[in-house]
Amino acid sequence: MNLVTAVLVCFIVASVPVCIFGLMLVSGERSELKRMMRLSESGVEVQARLVSLVPFGERGYAHVVYEFETPGGGIARHEKGASRGPAHVVGHLYPLVHEPDNTRSVHMGTLSTVRRERRRRQGYVRSSRRMALLALAAGVLATVGLIVSPS
């Protein structure tokens, strides 16, 4: 086996996992993009109050709980992990965007941050699609090169 054949085989072997990884990224980022699209189109911006900040571990992380009022007048809770620091103060109000019919789908921030995140997700989907197609093209070209090469 000469050097050209070895390089082409390496390209074929490397292109398969890169292509699969790109396809996995496309599916995950596409679902997150759909969520951001729903939030940017019909999201409701409310003020959420930080009601609990419980530190865990030794690395500066905490379990935080926010409460906000739903359109129906009830109180909903949003729990997440966050880093401890001066940005989180129990009792303060923080902006939160949620879907009107599903208070479990939330984004911490304003509607403008939701739109910015949506644009970033669109870029992620484009980039992961590009990566999968380039890996597929590299694998196909290496396969053709391996078939055509005189060994």
Side-chain angles (χ1 to χ4, degrees):
M1 182 186 316
N2 60 10
L3 184 63
V4 173
T5 306
V7 169
L8 290 175
V9 168
C10 288
F11 264 100
I12 292 170
V13 170
S15 69
V16 172
V18 171
C19 186
I20 291 172
F21 181 68
L23 292 174
M24 286 176 12
L25 283 178
V26 167
S27 65
E29 291 297 334
R30 189 178 294 143
S31 66
E32 192 63 24
L33 175 63
K34 286 179 184 176
R35 187 176 80 85
M36 285 297 152
M37 293 283 273
R38 284 193 310 268
L39 282 174
S40 69
E41 291 169 355
S42 65
V44 177
E45 186 174 337
V46 295
Q47 294 295 316
R49 182 174 306 278
L50 179 61
V51 294
S52 173
L53 178 76
V54 179
F56 64 86
E58 300 296 321
R59 304 215 174 203
Y61 295 108
H63 178 79
V64 294
V65 179
Y66 297 94
E67 283 186 348
F68 59 95
E69 193 169 324
T70 62
I75 299 291
R77 290 182 146 216
H78 174 61
E79 301 180 22
K80 66 181 270 182
S83 58
R84 283 186 298 191
H88 294 95
V89 179
V90 175
H92 282 204
L93 296 175
Y94 298 92
L96 179 135
V97 177
H98 69 87
E99 291 182 26
D101 55 343
N102 182 9
T103 57
R104 297 188 67 121
S105 177
V106 299
H107 179 76
M108 294 301 297
T110 61
L111 282 171
S112 65
T113 60
V114 168
R115 286 190 290 273
R116 191 176 323 129
E117 183 69 20
R118 184 189 72 193
R119 282 193 302 272
R120 282 183 41 216
R121 295 288 175 181
Q122 286 171 338
Y124 294 160
V125 168
R126 258 193 317 273
S127 297
S128 56
R129 202 179 292 148
R130 219 176 279 140
M131 182 178 71
L133 286 174
L134 287 174
L136 182 67
V140 167
L141 287 175
T143 305
V144 169
L146 194 61
I147 292 170
V148 172
S149 70
S151 295

